[in-house]
Amino acid sequence: MLASNHKRILRNTAMLYMRMLLAMAVGLYTSRVVLEVLGIEDFGTYHVVAGFVALLGFMQGAMTTATQRYFAFDLGQNEGSNLRSLFNTSLQIHALMAMCIALLAETAGYWFVSTQLTIPPDRLDAALTAYHLSIAAFAVSVMTVPLTAMLMANERMGLFALMSMTDVLLKLVAVLLLSYLASDKLSTYAALLLGVALISFSGYLLINHTLFPAVRLQWGWDGERFRSMLGFTAWSTWGNLAAAMSGHGNNVLLNIFFGPAVNAGRSIASQANGALNQFVSNVQAAINPQIIKQYAAGQHQQMHELVQKASKYNFFLLLTLAMPVLLYTEQLLGIWLAAPPEYAAVFLRLTIIASLIESLSRPMMTLAQATGKIRLYQTVVGGLLLCNVPLSFLALTIWQKPTLVLWTSIIFEATALFARLIILRRLTGMAVVRYLKLTISRVIMVSSTAGTINYLMVFESASGLTLFLGLLINVTSTIITIYLLGLDNLEKKYLSKITTKSCRKFFNFSTN
């Protein structure tokens, strides 16, 4: 990450962090308010219903990947000369996709939700209303994808962060309004989120239309581009279906075996873990365009180095934030929520472990997408992840323990990581041994050392000032361990240079 273009990555990451901090703070607060207003049963019901809509929309993730890849690749290879055609083709595919998802959700999906999910009979009508509204909101979000992809490919992270923060604030307003509305809270909450989705789409459309000449509706049909993007999407769909089944499919299994109360615990764990992962997602979002553009320009050595270092930095960043949560889970959940749902603590710990493993894979996912040759990658990796649900079903049938779905996720995430390495060696010539030596070995050394040290320094029954001190010690010791064991000499020098420069700027600003 020491090349000249990494200043842009750092600047874009800083923009995304501003957005993330607001999103995390508002998201944690709104989760608490929604849990209090809806109650545990309605809260769990909404998330399993909305999660099922997201499961049906696995194709959106595939098209998002394809859109961002094609936009960034064209900017890296052709300086954006084909962006208008690519944008219009993408818009046509997304419109078709939104209609297909809505049709599938309102037929087969409606039958499954109304007959197979465990929903209290007196709440079924409200749950189905929320389901219809969630489908509409999801269709709007599908149409927003080409607009967000255009901002990301052009590395306009400041505007993306601004729009994201606006979306977060609108959702906060929706939650605050929910407390004062006398109608059914569950269906009203879904209606308010649909309104937020429509406003966000309008804002993205206005910004893109103003900034980029490529964002212009153009009648016509580019069959070759359509087939190319659709072919890429077809194989990406397999991987995204596997990821969706791995997450939302297991949520459906928990609902069938244990009911919505356990879904509430899983939802809380997912939201807390999602807040932690926003830090990693912001770094990865800033790096993704560079990986694709370097591949398009044939700069493979720099690209492999960027992927290797990004994997390591993703893990270290998430570890720094996750370590105190892993060791003080109950105390932190108690501060966040007045009465955390059952299994929330153990679900959160296991979800974080799976996310730590997955954080290593994120740059490799982008590299595989950059090549455009994803048939083998998606077949193998998608097949591995898709095995998660049937094996979770078998484990639940035998042992009846909710945590088993998380343990299977951890196993398959680790297996998929090494499968990605082997496939990328074939696709791009990536050196597996070098990756294991410079990334995996340092990750294992840092996590085992920091975990042992922090476990020995945990304050039992910590609260108030004691808890704050424990968290501070935990984060500090993890950062020191990363610096001493996780970074090479060149990285240490670069970090010292950046830190010294930042401190000087801050000191000069304070004295003026």
Side-chain angles (χ1 to χ4, degrees):
M1 304 245 333
L2 306 179
S4 59
N5 60 5
H6 292 160
K7 288 185 179 180
R8 180 183 298 176
I9 293 176
L10 290 174
R11 183 174 64 253
N12 289 335
T13 302
M15 294 290 185
L16 292 172
Y17 270 129
M18 293 173 60
R19 164 248 187 190
M20 178 273 303
L21 290 173
L22 177 62
M24 183 173 64
V26 174
L28 294 175
Y29 173 74
T30 53
S31 296
R32 174 172 181 155
V33 174
V34 172
L35 179 60
E36 291 175 353
V37 173
L38 295 184
I40 288 181
E41 291 288 333
D42 273 4
F43 183 83
T45 297
Y46 175 77
H47 280 281
V48 74
V49 167
F52 188 74
V53 175
L55 172 60
L56 292 176
F58 60 87
M59 286 184 64
Q60 181 200 8
M63 199 58 234
T64 300
T65 299
T67 304
Q68 292 179 347
R69 184 263 176 189
Y70 275 84
F71 287 176
F73 193 94
D74 188 65
L75 287 167
Q77 188 176 65
N78 305 313
E79 298 182 354
S81 60
N82 300 315
L83 273 183
R84 176 171 291 189
S85 176
L86 286 170
F87 176 79
N88 279 273
T89 301
S90 174
L91 206 60
Q92 291 166 359
I93 294 176
H94 278 79
L96 178 62
M97 183 195 315
M99 290 187 290
C100 291
I101 291 173
L103 180 62
L104 180 62
E106 289 290 4
T107 52
Y110 178 80
W111 169 83
F112 188 89
V113 170
S114 59
T115 62
Q116 301 301 306
L117 293 183
T118 304
I119 299 173
D122 61 322
R123 302 302 297 146
L124 183 58
D125 287 342
L128 291 176
T129 300
Y131 177 71
H132 296 311
L133 292 168
S134 297
I135 292 171
F138 193 88
V140 174
S141 71
V142 168
M143 295 303 299
T144 309
V145 167
L147 303 172
T148 58
M150 184 65 73
L151 287 177
M152 300 294 282
N154 283 278
E155 300 186 68
R156 301 298 292 267
M157 305 304 180
L159 287 171
F160 174 74
L162 177 63
M163 282 303 302
S164 298
M165 287 188 284
T166 303
D167 182 75
V168 167
L169 292 175
L170 287 173
K171 289 179 179 177
L172 174 61
V173 172
V175 170
L176 295 177
L177 286 175
L178 186 64
S179 303
Y180 297 99
L181 296 175
S183 56
D184 185 88
K185 305 296 185 184
L186 180 58
S187 54
T188 302
Y189 182 53
L192 290 171
L193 292 185
L194 171 58
V196 172
L198 289 169
I199 294 172
S200 294
F201 172 78
S202 301
Y204 276 113
L205 181 60
L206 178 62
I207 289 175
N208 276 271
H209 190 273
T210 303
L211 289 180
F212 306 122
V215 182
R216 299 290 185 276
L217 291 180
Q218 175 179 293
W219 298 109
W221 180 265
D222 191 331
E224 184 177 350
R225 290 196 192 284
F226 188 90
R227 286 190 295 271
S228 176
M229 295 182 74
L230 202 58
F232 186 94
T233 304
W235 285 107
S236 293
T237 297
W238 173 253
N240 282 274
L241 172 62
M245 287 294 292
S246 181
H248 298 298
N250 279 337
N251 208 22
V252 172
L253 287 180
L254 288 175
N255 177 267
I256 293 172
F257 276 88
F258 306 103
V262 174
N263 283 123
R266 174 68 188 276
S267 296
I268 289 297
S270 297
Q271 289 179 35
N273 180 66
L276 293 175
N277 270 285
Q278 284 297 315
F279 287 87
V280 178
S281 297
N282 288 329
V283 174
Q284 192 61 49
I287 291 173
N288 284 343
Q290 288 295 326
I291 294 176
I292 297 172
K293 290 175 182 177
Q294 286 179 356
Y295 180 85
Q299 301 170 349
H300 287 189
Q301 182 177 350
Q302 298 95 314
M303 176 189 67
H304 287 147
E305 182 181 0
L306 182 59
V307 169
Q308 170 204 312
K309 291 182 180 297
S311 293
K312 184 172 67 172
Y313 297 157
N314 279 353
F315 186 93
F316 289 159
L317 180 58
L318 184 56
L319 181 69
T320 303
L321 300 166
M323 187 68 74
V325 179
L326 289 170
L327 296 177
Y328 292 98
T329 313
E330 288 83 1
Q331 294 93 324
L332 292 172
L333 283 176
I335 293 173
W336 175 26
L337 305 170
E342 188 180 9
Y343 292 107
V346 64
F347 280 163
L348 178 55
R349 288 192 180 100
L350 294 175
T351 302
I352 287 174
I353 293 172
S355 292
L356 283 167
I357 299 171
E358 194 239 356
S359 69
L360 292 165
S361 297
R362 292 189 181 191
M364 289 188 277
M365 298 176 193
T366 303
L367 178 55
Q369 294 155 11
T371 67
K373 304 171 184 177
I374 58 173
R375 179 184 302 180
L376 175 65
Y377 176 88
Q378 295 292 9
T379 300
V380 175
V381 176
L384 284 171
L385 294 179
L386 201 58
C387 291
N388 192 350
V389 174
L391 287 183
S392 294
F393 177 81
L394 179 63
L396 290 175
T397 302
I398 297 173
W399 290 289
Q400 294 284 317
K401 293 183 179 180
T403 54
L404 290 173
V405 300
L406 276 306
W407 283 113
T408 56
S409 295
I410 291 171
I411 292 170
F412 281 108
E413 281 292 351
T415 306
L417 170 66
F418 290 100
R420 290 182 177 103
L421 277 173
I422 295 171
I423 294 169
L424 286 176
R425 179 181 62 182
R426 177 173 176 176
L427 290 178
T428 69
M430 185 171 177
V432 175
V433 174
R434 179 177 175 82
Y435 184 91
L436 294 175
K437 179 180 178 181
L438 299 181
T439 301
I440 300 298
S441 63
R442 288 184 182 269
V443 159
I444 293 174
M445 186 163 43
V446 168
S447 55
S448 58
T449 302
T452 301
I453 293 173
N454 286 309
Y455 179 78
L456 295 174
M457 294 192 297
V458 167
F459 295 145
E460 298 293 337
S461 303
S463 61
L465 183 60
T466 307
L467 176 60
F468 175 77
L469 182 60
L471 296 175
L472 183 61
I473 292 173
N474 191 301
V475 171
T476 303
S477 64
T478 302
I479 291 174
I480 293 173
T481 304
I482 290 171
Y483 181 82
L484 295 176
L485 302 179
L487 304 182
D488 59 34
N489 291 332
L490 190 60
E491 291 167 334
K492 290 176 183 177
K493 291 179 181 179
Y494 184 74
L495 180 61
S496 299
K497 179 181 177 181
I498 292 295
T499 304
T500 302
K501 186 176 180 180
S502 299
C503 289
R504 286 176 179 172
K505 286 184 177 180
F506 177 77
F507 179 76
N508 293 333
F509 176 79
S510 300
T511 56
N512 290 335

